[in-house]
Each structure stands twice: as C-alpha cells, then as structure tokens.
Amino acid sequence: MSDTAHYRFQSDQARRLARQVTDAAVRDKLLEMAEEYGRYADLIEARSAEQVPAAMAAH
C-alpha cells in the first residue's frame, strides 16, 4: 500500500468511526484526524507530481 493510499484509508476509517460515536467531542476529534490524514495524502500526491516533471526534464 502506498503512503497516499494508507493516509486515505486512515481518513476513511476515522470518518466511519465518527459516524458511529455518540460523544460529540470524540466525533469532532475523529473528524479532525480524518481531515489531517487527507491533508497528508494530498501533500504526498503534490510532492510526487512535482518530482515527476523535474525527473523528466533531467533526461
């Protein structure tokens, strides 16, 4: 599993758990975690996209 897929999976898991939790504070924290995992995945994808054109330009 790639790092991006891992963080997307964790984000999905946190959202699923948040839907099942009745405690509002816990739900909010899980949703916050889900957003953070999503940002990590986005960052990894953005960095990968930046590296590919740079590698192509070197050839």
Side-chain angles (χ1 to χ4, degrees), residues 14-37:
R15 281 191 177 84
R16 285 186 193 128
L17 285 172
R19 286 194 294 267
Q20 297 172 7
V21 172
T22 56
D23 185 297
V26 173
R27 184 181 325 110
D28 290 345
K29 187 61 178 177
L30 285 165
L31 291 172
E32 181 182 319
M33 290 170 58
E35 289 297 318
E36 191 69 19
Y37 282 128

Side-chain angles (χ1 to χ4, degrees), residues 40-59:
Y40 289 152
D42 291 344
L43 181 61
I44 291 167
E45 285 177 349
R47 286 185 178 169
S48 293
E50 289 172 1
Q51 290 174 356
V52 170
M56 294 175 82
H59 287 109

